[in-house]
Amino acid sequence: MEKRRLGFWEIWNMSFGFLGIQFGFALQGGFMSRIFQTLGADVDSIPGLWIAAPLTGLLVQPIIGYLSDNTWSPKFGRRKPYFLIGAILASVTLFFMPHSPVLWVAAGLLWVLDSSINISMEPFRALIADKLPESQRSNGFVIQTLIIGIGTWIASNLPWLVNKMGVTNVADAGVIPPSVVIAFSIGAFVFLISILFTVFTTKEDPPVDLEKFKAEKKESSFFLDLVSSLKEMPSTMKKLGLIQFFSWFAFFTMWSLSTPALTEHVFNAPSPIEKEYNLNDVSQKATYDAANLKYQDAANLVGSASGVYGLSSMAFALLLTFYTMKNKINRKYIHMLSLILGGIGFIFMLYATPSTLVYSFILIGFSWGSILSMPYAMLSSSVNPNKMGMMMGLFNMFIVVPQIIAALGGINFLYKLIGEAHINAMTLAGISLIIAGLCNFLITDKNAISG
């Protein structure tokens, strides 16, 4: 049965919850390394502290995908219960995260936060495929990307904005600045409210054959479904997986190391190491406070500059939204060009100044906008629609495995082959993203390419 074509505002409403999800991701991606450094982590240990994020995605997303595939409630729907559960957990964690007293608490809360965001996020991807006919899939994922871009830009600028409104940007040694605390509290509120907006404005469609669905649900088994889905994985999904591997290795490198790399290289304001100062000595305490203020201000500016990639991804999505309403696109070449531009943006960071850093993030935004839309549009045209949640969850393996490799030492080993300076991690990200772009030549399925 052909699905009804939806209007712009219907697609917007069903995608609006991604604003909150992206608030969570942007605050996590932009400021977790800052929190870790403030609590005493050295730079080379930061990727390892991030390992909670990909590990939780690896475990949570296939399970949530399977559960949402096999859920139907006339009152609550199929995907919406998982949006709401994830939103409540993520909002609570966002609120408490910047109050972490020690490093291990922050690392543990990151584990909870990423699990919660994944619980909300995966069903949103599946909802687009559930609700939209094939002809509107590209448009649906692009509108999601538009909302994600808005969320990225606003959330990335929150600590800077809060500081400009008079909230201090510094605190005692080992304490998270109030500007970051308030930013995370705002993020917690936006996350929950935006998810509730989608829950109350979007009606999910029941399975086409409800009796058959109920019978299959009784016989279903997660492990059997997992094995059969792995066997059914189409070649296009595997090829997209290779592209995703290099793409997400690059972005994980940015999220974990861009703050220490750019505050040090571009702003000449590395985080002061508390144990190197005698804070009981008035002179050394003053020196430490001055260095810490310089670092915290630079970290705000890095966060603000990185938020620009949300704006450029939004512009990318906006252009594609208008175009895909009436026209088909070549997803393969759009994705290829976008990833290569992002790779160039990362490499340019080696030569960036405080005033030109923004141009790097503009280019990175093109790749981010494409990563959030084109692979999912290509994937949704290639897999069994009855297993959309499970397949979207399995597709996440190609996102989290490179991040796990990166966190377990892949970043530190590879960037040091280029040079010891931390900025070389951004050069590594650029090389990885360009490789991802070139891997698009492997995609040959016409249904996946055109949409």
Side-chain angles (χ1 to χ4, degrees):
M1 183 177 71
E2 179 65 21
K3 296 173 184 175
R4 178 177 69 87
R5 287 181 63 85
L6 301 186
F8 173 83
W9 290 112
E10 290 177 288
I11 302 175
W12 175 272
N13 289 347
M14 66 189 277
S15 301
F16 190 77
F18 247 111
L19 179 72
I21 291 173
Q22 197 53 38
F23 258 70
F25 266 132
L27 290 169
Q28 173 183 298
F31 302 101
M32 276 311 305
S33 292
R34 177 178 177 179
I35 289 173
F36 288 151
Q37 281 193 286
T38 301
L39 294 174
D42 64 84
V43 174
D44 284 345
S45 71
I46 288 175
L49 291 169
W50 272 82
I51 196 169
L55 275 178
T56 52
L58 183 65
L59 297 171
V60 169
Q61 289 222 12
I63 295 172
I64 295 300
Y66 168 79
L67 291 174
S68 67
D69 280 343
N70 289 279
T71 295
W72 174 251
S73 164
K75 184 176 182 180
F76 299 108
R78 189 177 195 179
R79 315 291 182 184
K80 291 194 292 185
Y82 301 95
F83 302 167
L84 192 54
I85 292 169
I88 293 169
L89 292 172
S91 296
V92 171
T93 310
L94 279 169
F95 179 82
F96 285 106
M97 176 69 78
H99 297 282
S100 300
V102 291
L103 194 56
W104 69 266
V105 173
L109 286 175
L110 175 59
W111 196 295
V112 178
L113 177 61
D114 205 77
S115 297
S116 305
I117 294 174
N118 275 293
I119 290 170
S120 287
M121 183 180 70
E122 192 283 329
F124 259 102
R125 299 291 189 196
L127 181 65
I128 290 292
D130 289 345
K131 294 280 291 180
L132 295 180
E134 173 64 33
S135 60
Q136 284 193 298
R137 295 262 176 92
S138 291
N139 188 232
F141 285 114
V142 165
I143 289 175
Q144 272 193 357
T145 303
L146 175 62
I147 292 172
I148 288 169
I150 296 170
T152 300
W153 179 67
I154 297 174
S156 297
N157 279 284
L158 273 179
W160 173 84
L161 180 61
V162 170
N163 178 234
K164 290 298 180 184
M165 293 172 67
V167 178
T168 182
N169 198 37
V170 291
D172 293 336
V175 178
I176 312 304
S179 59
V180 177
V181 173
I182 291 177
F184 271 68
S185 298
I186 294 170
F189 176 78
V190 172
F191 199 125
L192 185 58
I193 293 300
S194 62
I195 293 288
L196 287 172
F197 181 86
T198 288
V199 167
F200 287 120
T201 60
T202 301
K203 182 179 179 181
E204 293 192 74
D205 301 321
V208 176
D209 188 336
L210 189 56
E211 293 305 316
K212 182 181 178 182
F213 173 83
K214 290 178 179 178
E216 290 177 347
K217 178 182 175 181
K218 289 180 181 178
E219 298 175 2
S220 67
S221 161
F222 172 74
F223 292 104
L224 291 177
D225 200 17
L226 177 64
V227 171
S228 66
S229 297
L230 287 169
K231 289 180 179 178
E232 294 172 15
M233 190 180 293
S235 62
T236 297
M237 185 171 172
K238 296 173 186 176
K239 293 171 183 176
L240 284 168
L242 185 63
I243 298 168
Q244 293 288 80
F245 182 95
F246 288 106
S247 300
W248 287 86
F249 186 97
F251 273 87
F252 184 84
T253 302
M254 181 188 80
W255 293 325
S256 59
L257 288 183
S258 62
T259 295
L262 296 175
T263 52
E264 178 183 291
H265 181 77
V266 176
F267 293 92
N268 193 29
S271 176
I273 301 171
E274 183 181 341
K275 62 185 178 182
E276 294 182 357
Y277 296 82
N278 178 7
L279 299 182
N280 293 319
D281 181 278
V282 174
S283 176
Q284 290 198 40
K285 176 70 163 58
T287 303
Y288 173 87
D289 287 344
N292 188 41
L293 175 61
K294 188 177 180 183
Y295 165 74
Q296 298 292 350
D297 286 344
N300 269 4
L301 293 173
V302 170
S304 183
S306 69
V308 172
Y309 87 83
L311 277 183
S312 57
S313 69
M314 184 174 67
F316 169 92
L318 193 59
L319 290 173
L320 281 185
T321 297
F322 289 122
Y323 189 81
T324 55
M325 282 180 176
K326 296 182 179 179
N327 303 282
K328 289 191 173 183
I329 57 173
N330 188 305
R331 298 162 175 163
K332 168 181 171 177
Y333 288 121
I334 286 176
H335 197 42
M336 179 187 298
L337 178 61
S338 301
L339 293 178
I340 291 173
L341 287 174
I344 293 170
F346 275 119
I347 292 170
F348 178 71
M349 287 179 175
L350 186 62
Y351 310 100
T353 65
S355 60
T356 62
L357 181 62
V358 65
Y359 298 114
S360 285
F361 282 109
I362 288 173
L363 293 176
I364 291 167
F366 295 144
S367 61
W368 183 237
S370 189
I371 285 169
L372 294 175
S373 53
M374 293 300 104
Y376 296 98
M378 287 190 270
L379 175 67
S380 66
S381 301
S382 309
V383 301
N384 180 353
N386 294 323
K387 292 186 175 182
M388 190 61 67
M390 173 64 86
M391 285 300 189
M392 289 289 182
L394 287 178
F395 193 52
N396 189 60
M397 290 192 307
F398 300 118
I399 293 174
V400 299
V401 169
Q403 295 181 65
I404 292 170
I405 292 172
L408 289 176
I411 295 175
N412 291 340
F413 173 75
L414 290 173
Y415 91 73
K416 287 179 180 178
L417 295 178
I418 303 171
E420 288 292 324
H422 298 126
I423 192 62
N424 289 310
M426 299 301 99
T427 302
L428 171 64
I431 294 169
S432 183
L433 210 49
I434 290 171
I435 293 172
L438 296 175
C439 286
N440 277 274
F441 281 119
L442 298 172
I443 306 296
T444 56
D445 183 348
K446 292 182 179 178
N447 288 331
I449 292 170
S450 179

